[in-house]
C-alpha cells in the first residue's frame, strides 16, 4: 500500500511539473545564448565556446526560430565542467537551462531569474573525440528545447 501511495505522489508531481513547464515556456521571447567560460581542461579535451554555441544555434536555425543575441532574458545557459585526468581520460558534466525573468509571486514588485527548462548529462572518454561527443550532447539538448518551445508556442 505504501508503495502504491508513493507511486501516486510521484505521478502527481510529474504531471504538475509537466504543466508548469508548459506555462513557463509559453509566450517566451527569442532567447540569447550564454556559454559559461571554459577552463584549460575543457580546451585540452577539445571543447570550445564556439563549438558549444554552434551546437545550440543549429537546432534553432533548423526550426526557423530566432536567437536574439541582445536579449537579457530569456537565455539558453550552457555550463560544461570538465576534468582531464592524468591518464588522459576526460570527464564532463554538460548542463543546459532556459532561464527567464519571472515574478517572485503574483502581484510582486520584484522579479527573479528562474530556470524553466533543464537537461544535463555526464560524459567520459578519451580526448580524441571528446569535444564532438560534448557538442553532440549539447545539440541533442538544444533540439529537445526547440521541441518543447514549438509545442508550447
Amino acid at each position: 500500500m505504501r508503495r502504491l501511495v508513493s507511486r501516486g505522489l510521484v505521478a502527481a508531481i510529474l504531471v504538475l511539473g509537466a504543466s508548469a513547464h508548459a506555462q513557463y515556456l509559453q509566450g517566451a521571447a527569442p532567447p540569447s545564448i550564454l556559454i559559461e567560460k571554459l577552463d584549460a581542461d575543457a580546451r585540452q579535451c577539445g571543447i570550445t565556446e564556439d563549438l558549444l554555441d554552434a551546437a545550440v544555434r543549429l537546432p534553432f536555425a533548423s526550426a526557423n526560430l530566432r536567437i536574439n543575441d541582445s536579449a537579457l532574458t530569456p537565455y539558453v545557459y550552457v555550463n560544461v565542467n570538465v576534468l582531464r585526468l592524468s591518464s588522459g581520460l576526460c570527464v564532463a558534466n554538460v548542463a543546459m537551462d532556459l532561464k527567464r525573468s519571472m515574478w517572485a509571486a503574483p502581484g510582486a514588485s520584484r522579479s527573479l531569474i528562474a530556470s524553466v527548462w533543464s537537461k544535463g548529462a555526464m560524459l567520459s572518454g578519451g580526448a580524441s573525440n571528446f569535444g564532438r561527443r560534448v557538442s553532440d550532447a549539447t545539440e541533442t539538448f538544444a533540439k529537445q528545447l526547440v521541441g518543447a518551445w514549438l509545442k508550447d508556442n
Side-chain angles (χ1 to χ4, degrees), residues 7-45:
R7 288 181 184 160
L9 286 174
V10 168
I13 290 168
L14 290 174
V15 168
L16 289 173
S19 64
H21 154 80
Q23 175 187 356
Y24 296 128
L25 280 180
Q26 214 164 36
S32 60
I33 300 171
L34 175 62
I35 308 290
E36 189 70 38
K37 186 175 175 157
L38 299 170
D39 64 10
D41 281 354
R43 287 187 294 281
Q44 289 175 359
C45 290

Side-chain angles (χ1 to χ4, degrees), residues 53-108:
D53 186 80
V56 175
R57 283 181 194 275
L58 287 174
F60 274 83
S62 294
N64 292 320
L65 292 175
R66 231 172 24 97
I67 293 292
N68 182 358
D69 287 320
S70 62
L72 297 177
T73 180
Y75 60 95
V76 178
Y77 176 68
V78 179
N79 185 359
V80 178
N81 291 299
V82 180
L83 179 62
R84 179 149 190 210
L85 304 176
S86 58
S87 65
L89 183 72
C90 297
V91 179
N93 177 46
V94 181
M96 181 182 292
D97 295 89
L98 179 69
K99 298 185 181 251
R100 73 181 286 193
S101 182
M102 316 252 340
W103 293 108

Side-chain angles (χ1 to χ4, degrees), residues 1-13:
M1 180 68 171
R2 179 174 271 176
R3 284 186 185 179
L4 187 58
V5 171
S6 295
R7 288 181 184 160
L9 286 174
V10 168
I13 290 168

Side-chain angles (χ1 to χ4, degrees), residues 106-153:
S109 61
R110 291 185 170 244
S111 66
L112 51 90
I113 301 294
S115 180
V116 297
W117 183 94
S118 182
K119 294 285 179 183
M122 292 288 296
L123 301 171
S124 64
S128 63
N129 69 343
F130 198 70
R132 174 69 0 209
R133 291 183 58 222
V134 169
S135 174
D136 289 347
T138 304
E139 187 173 343
T140 297
F141 296 156
K143 287 177 182 176
Q144 292 171 351
L145 174 56
V146 165
W149 192 293
L150 291 172
K151 179 182 173 200
D152 294 345
N153 287 291

